Amino acid sequence: MITGLLAATTPVAAATEPDPVDRTVADLVRDGFPAGVTALRDDDRMRHYAHGVADTATGEPAETGDRFRIASNTKAFVAVVVLQLVGEGRLSLDDTVEQRLPGLIRGPGYDASAITVRQLLNHTSGLHDPLDPHFFDPYLVDGDRGYVYPPREVIRRSLLDPPERGVHYSNTNYLVLGLLIERVTGEHLGHQLRARILDPLGMRDTSFPVLDPYLHGPHLHGYDLAGEDMTVFSPSYDWAAGAMVSTVDDLQRFHRALFGGELLAPEQQRAMFEAVPSSEFEAYGLGVERLTLPCPDGPREVWGDTGAGPGYYSLAFTRGTRTVVTVLTSYDLAAELRGDQPFPASPLPALTAAFCTT
């Protein structure tokens, strides 16, 4: 989720150092992120940067191959599966939720026969996340980090309040899309993600855990603003909207394939870029987001996604032949719920360093 990332920003002065990306990642770690890891690809040239520690308790250094929770970067993967099904004629962007999942959407002011697949993908459906301030209490108050929220329960709780109007980012849209994929294919979402994307692209370090709250293998620990380790956290509440685990290299491989036209037919590739503005700087396409960066020599558009969840903030964006993926290991969900800044410093320099300095 990128809401507020570019709020009240001004053009950032171009850096004069030989490698502004490396400098910026190091600066973000000095500003309070325990670790910052980046993969930057230009054509066939790959660069990696890793600063800070993977685990504050042991002091183990962060490595570029460490896994982390990618949160809402998951949405692009789910959107690819949906758009592939559209290309295969098994689904239409104009299909409604009521046609495909009758009875799922019931609540004050909701009309499932007027909510289309396209609207779910670009956050114009009116569905919102659960507004109950106690929704996250099992994790944050009771300390049950393994608590499981089934997708239908999250959706049900989202429908207790009337719909929002206009363009509003919502994880619930992608929970509905996940159920839609399973209904159309007759298979679990995780199987579809692996068969259609992960295996063909050789993304061996990427997974889609649904119930397991632990990260396995080499991984970065994630923290809140007080330094509490938030790594163990059930991905169930986010499911199709944000449960995936990956590495910076695997994410850049996915972005290169997606924006290079390897995953979608031309018609669906064009549809992906049909964006609806959500602010002066941001717009939502179908599973991807467009940012307009305030660079010193004028605005530059980049496409991709961000992911924000307990302990982790990640950015994966592409412009032309350049792709940058950065993960920073501090995000405070409780602070976000209070309306406070959830990270130690703005992650925006990670993008401006990569896209504004050359």
Side-chain angles (χ1 to χ4, degrees):
M1 179 176 180
I2 59 178
T3 303
L5 178 62
L6 292 174
T9 58
T10 56
V12 179
T16 58
E17 291 83 349
D19 197 331
V21 177
D22 187 43
R23 173 190 59 80
T24 299
V25 175
D27 285 347
L28 287 168
V29 170
R30 282 193 290 270
D31 286 341
F33 289 99
V37 176
T38 292
L40 191 153
R41 184 164 188 166
D42 279 303
D43 293 322
D44 292 326
R45 181 192 178 197
M46 179 70 78
R47 285 176 279 171
H48 292 95
Y49 314 92
H51 292 273
V53 295
D55 185 346
T56 59
T58 66
E60 178 184 357
E63 303 286 350
T64 57
D66 288 341
R67 298 179 179 94
F68 59 94
R69 300 189 190 282
I70 71 172
S72 287
N73 282 291
T74 301
K75 292 180 174 66
F77 290 80
V78 172
V80 164
V81 176
V82 171
L83 290 170
Q84 286 183 350
L85 291 171
V86 171
E88 294 164 7
R90 303 170 68 182
L91 193 61
S92 167
L93 291 174
D94 296 320
D95 285 347
T96 70
V97 175
E98 188 63 19
Q99 285 176 308
R100 292 294 187 165
L101 295 166
L104 177 67
I105 303 299
R106 292 289 186 272
Y110 291 97
D111 181 3
S113 65
I115 299 174
T116 66
V117 173
R118 187 189 305 273
Q119 290 173 325
L120 295 171
L121 287 165
N122 67 13
H123 300 288
T124 59
S125 70
L127 300 178
H128 49 72
D129 295 328
L131 301 181
D132 179 359
H134 299 291
F135 178 80
F136 287 102
D137 279 2
Y139 309 108
L140 301 179
V141 177
D142 302 335
D144 184 0
R145 299 285 186 81
Y147 186 85
V148 172
Y149 268 121
R152 289 178 181 270
E153 173 62 12
V154 181
I155 294 169
R156 185 193 70 79
R157 294 182 65 165
S158 300
L159 300 173
L160 297 178
D161 297 279
E164 295 179 305
R165 302 301 177 190
V167 184
H168 291 280
Y169 189 96
S170 172
N171 291 319
T172 306
N173 289 314
Y174 279 75
L175 300 186
V176 176
L177 288 169
L179 294 176
L180 179 61
I181 290 169
E182 294 191 336
R183 175 65 60 87
V184 170
T185 65
E187 295 182 333
H188 291 301
L189 175 58
H191 178 83
Q192 287 289 306
L193 291 168
R194 182 152 299 283
R196 291 175 176 270
I197 303 172
L198 305 187
D199 285 348
L201 295 182
M203 298 177 64
R204 298 179 181 85
D205 292 320
T206 301
S207 60
F208 181 65
V210 176
L211 304 177
D212 188 355
Y214 296 93
L215 293 185
H216 301 279
H219 62 271
L220 300 168
H221 287 242
Y223 302 89
D224 66 12
L225 290 173
E228 181 178 353
D229 195 322
M230 305 295 288
T231 308
V232 178
F233 210 101
S234 172
S236 62
Y237 78 94
D238 240 359
W239 192 51
M244 293 184 79
V245 172
S246 191
T247 65
V248 291
D249 274 349
D250 267 10
L251 266 186
Q252 72 79 24
R253 185 175 294 115
F254 168 70
H255 265 248
R256 190 168 177 83
L258 176 58
F259 292 105
E262 296 178 32
L263 294 174
L264 298 174
E267 182 178 352
Q268 283 70 54
Q269 187 83 4
R270 288 191 295 271
M272 182 179 70
F273 291 107
E274 295 172 359
V276 291
S278 59
S279 72
E280 179 183 358
F281 299 104
E282 302 160 295
Y284 297 122
L286 305 187
V288 293
E289 306 165 13
R290 185 185 71 216
L291 290 186
T292 303
L293 298 177
C295 297
D297 57 351
R300 295 187 186 182
E301 290 186 354
V302 296
W303 285 86
D305 286 285
T306 65
Y312 303 93
Y313 192 95
S314 54
L315 312 96
F317 282 89
T318 294
R319 175 180 169 87
T321 60
R322 172 169 287 197
T323 295
V324 62
V325 179
T326 294
V327 57
L328 300 161
T329 59
S330 181
Y331 193 87
D332 196 316
L333 176 60
E336 179 192 4
L337 295 173
R338 294 193 304 268
D340 297 333
Q341 178 171 289
F343 29 62
S346 171
L348 179 61
L351 290 182
T352 56
F355 294 108
C356 292
T357 54
T358 59

